[in-house]
Amino acid sequence: MEPDAVEIRVLGCLIEKQRTTPDAYPLSLNALRLACNQATNRNPVVDYDETIIRDALQHSYRRGWTRLTSGHGSRAAKYRHLLDEALGLASDELAVLAVLMLRGAQTPGELKQRAERLHRFDDLAAVDATLQQLIGRGHVAQLQRQPGQKEERYVQLLGGDGGETGASAAPTAAQPTPTVPPPAPAAPAPPVAVPPASPPAPAALPTAAEARIAQLEREVAALRAELASLRNELGA
């Protein structure tokens, strides 16, 4: 399943805080919640609670994109990203992806300015080169220029909606229903013996329920693994 908007916001925040506040990184769950919900450098502004963020961390953990860890001298559970290792990203590529994750579709000029805290680009040509590398690897796409726009805009493709899904497809016109003449009346059928009804077969478990149970089992397994990891790190 593709990462949703919460996973993308969590990853973007972990990358940003790793670069901008390294002394406070990795992040506790509360610090990550504040980073996701801050009103600056975010589009859209959201209001996630810790339960939603914890669920997103579990999904990204199973993708190999985040992991549970602990800070120096701290016994609190903290989290870090592994996106650069998982996808083989260079520093400039990771910075551009993080800004696209946090602020949606942007022009190269906006990316150069907003990525300055994460990675310094000498000029727009350097930003364009990084974007082309990410496009070649399938992590970024260039949007079609809309009327009135002077510059191309780019979106990340890791998940969510990339901040902009582009123009909606035009609705398909309804097709007319063909006129079918009514069937001729059929001759009455001779009576037939009706065999006794068989007992109903046991109802099958709905597919949605099966999927939900499987998901819960995976989440319980992931939580047990995280708890075991935390106990090992704490020497429990």
Side-chain angles (χ1 to χ4, degrees):
M1 184 174 63
E2 182 183 85
D4 62 15
V6 185
E7 282 188 71
I8 295 302
R9 175 60 61 91
V10 166
L11 281 167
C13 289
L14 288 172
I15 297 169
E16 178 194 62
K17 299 306 180 184
Q18 179 191 32
R19 301 290 182 89
T20 59
T21 57
D23 293 341
Y25 183 83
L27 301 183
S28 67
L29 189 60
N30 182 60
L32 186 52
R33 179 185 63 83
L34 294 175
C36 288
N37 296 342
Q38 72 181 51
T40 57
N41 301 320
R42 303 288 185 268
N43 183 32
V45 175
V46 298
D47 186 19
Y48 297 149
D49 59 28
E50 291 189 358
T51 300
I52 292 175
I53 294 174
R54 186 183 293 110
D55 185 62
L57 284 165
Q58 291 172 3
H59 286 294
S60 60
Y61 168 79
R62 289 194 285 270
R63 300 181 202 278
W65 290 0
T66 61
R67 70 180 292 263
L68 177 67
T69 183
S70 58
H72 297 293
S74 173
R75 298 178 65 88
K78 295 192 174 183
Y79 301 88
R80 65 184 304 162
H81 79 88
L82 303 173
L83 196 63
D84 50 349
E85 301 174 18
L87 302 183
L89 299 171
S91 175
D92 57 335
E93 296 172 325
L94 192 64
V96 168
L97 269 181
V99 176
L100 290 173
M101 289 176 181
L102 295 174
R103 304 190 68 157
Q106 295 163 79
T107 67
E110 291 171 333
L111 287 170
K112 182 180 184 302
Q113 177 184 0
R114 295 166 178 174
E116 187 73 18
R117 300 179 304 146
L118 283 65
H119 180 88
R120 180 176 178 80
F121 290 94
D122 293 334
D123 49 32
L124 284 179
V127 177
D128 286 329
T130 300
L131 286 169
Q132 294 307 313
Q133 292 170 358
L134 290 168
I135 290 173
R137 301 173 66 176
H139 301 324
V140 166
Q142 177 181 332
L143 294 177
Q144 183 177 0
R145 187 182 301 181
Q146 299 298 315
Q149 292 181 348
K150 297 181 179 180
E151 296 183 73
E152 293 83 2
R153 302 167 75 229
Y154 297 83
V155 292
Q156 58 82 21
L157 297 179
L158 293 184
D161 62 1
E164 181 170 329
T165 55
S168 301
T172 303
Q175 298 298 319
T177 303
T179 302
V180 180
V192 295
V194 180
S198 302
L205 189 64
T207 302
E210 292 178 341
R212 180 59 179 163
I213 291 173
Q215 179 183 352
L216 290 173
E217 291 177 345
R218 291 194 298 270
E219 291 182 358
V220 169
L223 287 172
R224 288 177 176 170
E226 291 181 8
L227 179 59
S229 174
L230 181 58
R231 286 178 173 171
N232 290 335
E233 293 179 1
L234 298 179

